[in-house]
Structures are given as structure tokens and as C-alpha cells.
Amino acid sequence: MRVEKWRHVFKLDPDKTISDGALRAICRSGTDAIIVGGSSGVTFANTAELLARIRRHDVECVLELTSADSAVPGFDGYFIPMVLNAATVEWLCGRQLQAIRDYGELIPWERTAASGYIILNPDATAAKVSGARPLTDAADVLACVRLADRLMRLPVIYLEYSGRYGDMDLVGKATRTVTVSRLFYGGGIDDAAKAALAARSAHTVVVGNVIYEDLNRALSTVEAVRSVGGPQRSSDSEDLKYANNEL
Ligand SMILES: CC(C)=CCC/C(C)=C/CC/C(C)=C/CC/C(C)=C/CC/C(C)=C/CC/C(C)=C/CC/C(C)=C/COP(=O)(O)OP(=O)(O)O
Ligand SMILES: O=P(O)(O)OC[C@@H](O)CO
Ligand SMILES: [Mg+2]
């Protein structure tokens, strides 16, 4: 997995239908990678079928696991989500622990990474499933980001607004806060302008639902992300403002 190089990623849902033509266009769009995952209706069978179809094209492909039952071998990498603002330990590490016990030796650790989810849209399926605690102010979110980056040193922190376009000011602050983690943003990107703005705020931009709603607009997000430089770098002043409780 070369997540440190990813700027644009498409997320494909095994529980949704996509034609061969649309899949080809997505895979050959110039995106950096495909993440396969969804929060409901994901099975071993529909995941394996989607992987086989994606493998007709030359694109990096990673599985985001939401249950051990759909752990299909053959992906380039695996993400194990941990919901940092989950209501209970079950979705932070409980289910993952059980799966690690069950899978033991089978897990290809060199290709497996934790992604620390911070779920910020209470209406998203993932928020409902994990009972995500609402984080209403920026200081709360940034504290969560610091925990994941400085203490847990997670490779990926995922600000998840699935289904809704998020607060780019907050996403930018989160990105400038991290020191070791890569900051992923996903949610509500359905045109080039939103994609470009998100790419200015986050290291990696994830585009999902619009693939199934308007393929051309989905494809337009690739070039939009390419056309903007990376997000602003870390600044001491951001840390100082945080320390002074001004964010
Ligand atoms: C060789 C071989 C078998 C390889 C695989 C081995 C392997 C890597 C095994 C791993 C086993 C393991 C440790 C599994 C753990 C799986 C697990 C239980 C993870 C917990 C997942 C979790 C915390 C889920 C909570 C919800 C969540 C954060 C989901 C993330 C995905 C998401 C938000 C998708 C978007 O869904 P969508 O359907 O688009 O949502 P909307 O309806 O809002 O659009
Ligand atoms: O489906 P959308 O709203 O684009 O969100 C993408 C991704 O963050 C979902 O997990
Ligand atoms: Mg979705």
C-alpha cells in the first residue's frame, strides 16, 4: 500500500451495482487507488466478485474490512477501521480483537493498516452502526486527531462525513495538526469544485456515492484533485492557537 502517495481515491461498494463500462472508467480514470467497502450488505461473495472485476484493470485496490466474514484474500492491502468516537469499545477495538483472534496467522500484516475513523455526520450509516458520539466543536475533533496521530501513531486518520459535504475549515486544521498520520477526507464530494476544495484541505480525498449517481461528475473529481497542490503544511501557530483554546 502506498497511502502516502494517494491524493484521490474512489470507494466502491460491493453491495451496489456497477456496469463493466463504468467500472472500467473508474479504474482507468487516473485515480490513485480503489477502496472496496461499505457499511451494510457486504459479503464474501459480493466482495470477491468485485475484486475479480477490478483485477481486469491496473489499479491499486485495498479492502476496507467491516466484518471478518468478508475478508477476501488477494487485495493489495487491507484497512481495519477503528472508530475513535465510537460509543462503546466494541467498534473501537472489540470486534477487531475478536477477528484477530480468529484469523491469527492468516493476516498479512505487512499489507494491513489501521484507519482511525472520526465520524462527523451523525446521519451516516457508519455513525448509526457504531453509535458515534457527536463531536461538536473543533477542539474536540482536533484532540481526537492528536490522540490518533501523536499517541496511537495511526497511518491513516479518516474524517468521515459519508453522504454529506464536511467542514473544510475543520478538515484543513486537522491536516495541519497531524505529524505522522495521513489525513483522509470522505463525504459528499459530488463535483469537481468540492473535490478541489477537499484536496486543498486533506492529504487524501475519497469519493464514493457519486459514482453510482453521476459517473461523469465522479470522473471529473480526479482531474480536480490533480489540479490543486497539496494541503497547507503544519504550522506552529495552529498548535499555539489550539493550546490557547482559540480553535
Ligand atoms: C488472506 C486473508 C484472508 C486476508 C484478509 C485477512 C485480514 C486482513 C483479516 C482482518 C481481520 C480483521 C481484523 C477484521 C476486522 C474487521 C472489523 C470487525 C472491523 C470493524 C469495522 C468497523 C469499526 C465498522 C464500523 C462502521 C465503519 C467505520 C465502517 C467503515 C466503512 C464505511 C464508512 C463505509 C461507507 O459506507 P457506505 O455504505 O458508503 O455508507 P453510507 O450509507 O453512509 O453511504
Ligand atoms: O460516499 P461519499 O459521501 O462520497 O463518502 C465517501 C466515503 O467517505 C464513504 O465512506
Ligand atoms: Mg456510500
Side-chain angles (χ1 to χ4, degrees):
M1 273 197 284
R2 296 184 295 262
V3 289
E4 62 290 342
K5 298 233 156 48
W6 294 356
R7 286 285 285 145
H8 180 284
V9 176
F10 279 124
K11 189 181 277 194
L12 290 175
D13 189 335
D15 192 35
K16 289 187 178 160
T17 303
I18 185 164
S19 69
D20 284 342
L23 186 63
R24 179 189 169 90
I26 290 293
C27 292
R28 298 185 177 208
S29 62
T31 187
D32 294 306
I34 306 287
I35 296 177
V36 170
S39 45
S40 60
V42 177
T43 64
F44 189 95
N46 60 23
T47 303
E49 194 208 337
L50 184 55
L51 173 64
R53 294 175 66 209
I54 293 169
R55 283 299 189 223
R56 293 177 197 152
H57 312 284
D58 181 20
V59 63
E60 190 169 11
C61 183
V62 170
L63 177 62
E64 181 177 58
L65 280 151
T66 46
S67 122
D69 299 340
S70 52
V72 171
F75 280 85
D76 297 315
Y78 297 89
F79 282 141
I80 312 289
M82 305 172 77
V83 181
L84 301 173
N85 59 329
T88 66
V89 76
E90 179 186 358
W91 297 105
L92 173 66
C93 61
R95 290 193 172 224
Q96 298 83 343
L97 269 173
Q98 186 59 48
I100 290 167
R101 281 190 57 154
D102 295 346
Y103 275 78
E105 310 288 299
L106 287 176
I107 300 178
W109 289 112
E110 71 291 350
R111 284 182 285 131
T112 300
S115 52
Y117 263 77
I118 302 175
I119 304 180
L120 296 170
N121 174 8
D123 299 325
T125 313
K128 290 178 181 148
V129 168
S130 63
R133 280 188 310 114
L135 298 174
T136 38
D137 74 21
D140 233 6
V141 175
L142 296 180
C144 205
V145 167
R146 277 189 170 77
L147 174 98
D149 173 76
R150 310 275 163 89
L151 295 184
M152 301 171 93
R153 304 183 82 76
L154 295 180
V156 172
I157 299 176
Y158 195 137
L159 293 192
E160 174 66 288
Y161 282 85
S162 182
R164 199 183 86 196
Y165 196 62
D167 174 350
M168 287 307 132
D169 188 44
L170 178 56
V171 174
K173 282 174 180 153
T175 302
R176 292 191 294 277
T177 296
V178 297
T179 57
V180 297
S181 305
R182 183 126 184 123
L183 202 294
F184 280 33
Y185 167 80
I189 296 176
D190 56 9
D191 63 26
K194 289 192 188 105
L197 200 55
R200 261 186 227 114
S201 307
H203 293 133
T204 303
V205 165
V206 184
V207 177
N209 290 339
V210 71
I211 298 166
Y212 303 93
E213 290 155 8
D214 188 327
L215 180 64
N216 286 331
R217 281 211 268 141
L219 294 170
S220 75
T221 64
V222 178
E223 182 48 37
V225 170
R226 294 261 166 276
S227 69
V228 299
Q232 252 182 284
R233 302 181 85 87
S234 247
S235 76
D236 292 342
S237 59
E238 202 81 19
D239 269 0
L240 205 60
K241 279 194 266 171
Y242 176 80
N244 293 335
N245 223 354
E246 290 165 18
L247 289 172

